[in-house]
């Protein structure tokens, strides 16, 4: 979905729905992260933009000390409760731009579908200073794409989006070149050992489920009072074309290391 500056706080209003409908990440993502940066009880990790914790459990299960930074007060409260059984987990409620910590503090810093909200030069420099020498930055995200098996459905949905005045889902599937370019950003800020990985999956929703998912996207939330009639139209279109929709996800992971 399009990224509209200034809407990063909208997710705070839909915590329960966000936690229910936003996807977690495939095991292979964490396998690759842990190859680059093994974690144990002596490790310190930082999550930038935890949201409702879609990316968090596999990190916590290593036993490491995890600090999460979260912009939204309701989301910060949500994950404090969600992960209260982990004694080495803590949440700081503030924008990452304002987060303060000593240099050389963390073995791993990671961000899942959140780092694009932070100005590049601020985010990468802050991560670089906060990492220990040899520490790893892992940036990953999920990129949903249209139902490839139902082109008519996609066309009809685009007509609804046009009537409500915004472009709708991405018109191009996330590519290896997109991932490569994103990975190379870290090079400008002094990182080395840069790599990227792609993972594919599909998710299928009923019409009613899909509009619940749409209600967790910032640009859709920004529709305000128009969201309900928009969602009703989208649901009707899906129901008229088989009753289900399948998203083709690409998950990208970029890894970069602070030099020793």
């Amino acid at each position: 979905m399009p990224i509209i500056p200034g809407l990063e706080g909208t997710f705070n209003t839909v915590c329960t729905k966000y936690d229910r409908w936003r996807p977690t990440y495939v095991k292979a993502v964490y396998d690759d992260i842990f190859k680059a940066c093994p974690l144990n009880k002596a490790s310190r990790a930082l999550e930038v933009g935890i949201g409702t914790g879609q990316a968090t459990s596999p990190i916590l299960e290593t036993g490491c000390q995890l600090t999460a930074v979260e912009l939204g007060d309701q989301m910060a409260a949500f994950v404090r409760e969600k992960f209260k059984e982990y004694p080495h987990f803590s949440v700081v409620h503030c924008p990452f731009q304002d987060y303060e910590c000593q240099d050389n503090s963390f073995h791993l810093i990671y961000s899942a579908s959140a780092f694009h909200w932070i100005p590049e030069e601020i985010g990468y420099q802050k991560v670089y200073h906060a990492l220990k020498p040899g520490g790893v930055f892992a940036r990953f995200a999920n990129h949903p794409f249209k139902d490839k098996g139902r082109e008519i459905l996609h066309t009809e949905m685009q007509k609804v989006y046009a009537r409500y005045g915004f472009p709708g889902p991405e018109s191009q599937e996330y590519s290896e070149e997109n991932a490569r370019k994103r990975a190379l950003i870290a090079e400008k800020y002094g990182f080395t050992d840069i790599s990227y990985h792609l993972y594919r999956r599909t998710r299928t929703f009923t019409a009613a489920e899909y509009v619940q998912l749409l209600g967790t996207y910032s640009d859709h939330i920004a529709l305000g009072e128009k969201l309900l009639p928009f969602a009703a139209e989208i649901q009707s279109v899906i129901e008229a074309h088989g009753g289900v929709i399948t998203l083709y996800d690409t998950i990208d992971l970029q890894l970069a290391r602070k030099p020793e």
Side-chain angles (χ1 to χ4, degrees):
M1 296 296 170
I3 301 302
I4 302 174
L7 295 185
E8 59 268 36
T10 54
F11 309 112
N12 197 48
T13 65
V14 291
C15 290
T16 302
K17 184 184 291 187
Y18 192 101
D19 190 57
R20 171 66 179 84
W21 295 108
R22 283 299 187 102
T24 55
Y25 297 87
V26 297
K27 180 178 179 293
V29 170
Y30 300 97
D31 291 342
D32 286 326
I33 291 173
F34 296 149
K35 285 177 187 176
C37 184
L39 298 177
N40 55 44
K41 291 181 180 179
S43 305
R44 295 190 67 202
L46 177 71
E47 180 170 2
V48 179
I50 187 173
T52 58
Q54 267 67 14
T56 309
S57 291
I59 306 296
L60 282 173
E61 288 165 4
T62 68
C64 73
Q65 180 178 324
L66 176 61
T67 301
V69 178
E70 173 53 45
L71 172 66
D73 60 340
Q74 294 181 49
M75 284 193 158
F78 187 95
V79 291
R80 283 193 189 100
E81 177 64 22
K82 182 176 181 178
F83 298 119
K84 65 183 179 182
E85 302 302 320
Y86 293 89
H88 300 298
F89 173 71
S90 62
V91 184
V92 178
H93 165 227
C94 73
F96 182 61
Q97 296 90 314
D98 297 339
Y99 175 64
E100 296 183 1
C101 70
Q102 292 183 344
D103 289 353
N104 308 314
S105 291
F106 297 99
H107 298 89
L108 172 71
I109 298 177
Y110 70 101
S111 186
S113 298
F115 209 69
H116 54 275
W117 293 108
I118 301 166
E120 176 191 307
E121 66 282 2
I122 295 174
Y124 278 90
Q125 290 185 51
K126 200 171 188 71
V127 167
Y128 186 92
H129 289 299
L131 280 170
K132 293 177 178 290
V136 169
F137 177 42
R139 175 180 178 173
F140 51 106
N142 186 67
H143 306 274
F145 189 60
K146 67 181 181 180
D147 190 329
K148 297 179 182 180
R150 300 178 177 88
E151 190 63 37
I152 295 176
L153 170 60
H154 175 70
T155 299
E156 293 303 310
M157 287 173 60
Q158 289 296 93
K159 292 178 182 177
V160 177
Y161 275 97
R163 285 198 294 274
Y164 283 82
F166 67 116
E170 298 290 344
S171 59
Q172 296 293 323
E173 191 168 14
Y174 194 86
S175 69
E176 183 172 349
E177 180 62 13
N178 295 140
R180 187 188 73 84
K181 288 180 178 179
R182 180 169 286 181
L184 290 177
I185 295 171
E187 192 173 48
K188 296 190 292 182
Y189 298 94
F191 289 90
T192 59
D193 193 18
I194 294 167
S195 64
Y196 65 89
H197 307 264
L198 294 177
Y199 320 85
R200 312 283 187 183
R201 69 177 172 197
T202 59
R203 292 177 291 146
T204 299
F205 301 88
T206 66
E209 291 170 343
Y210 185 67
V211 297
Q212 290 293 314
L213 172 66
L214 291 183
T216 71
Y217 289 125
S218 59
D219 54 341
H220 291 66
I221 297 169
L223 284 172
E225 62 184 16
K226 295 180 180 179
L227 178 58
L228 286 178
F230 165 82
E233 288 193 44
I234 290 291
Q235 184 167 341
S236 294
V237 168
I238 296 172
E239 288 172 345
H241 292 83
V244 296
I245 181 170
T246 297
L247 298 182
Y248 286 72
D249 289 342
T250 301
I251 300 169
D252 66 322
L253 166 67
Q254 290 78 34
L255 294 168
R257 190 178 305 277
K258 181 177 177 176
E260 297 276 5

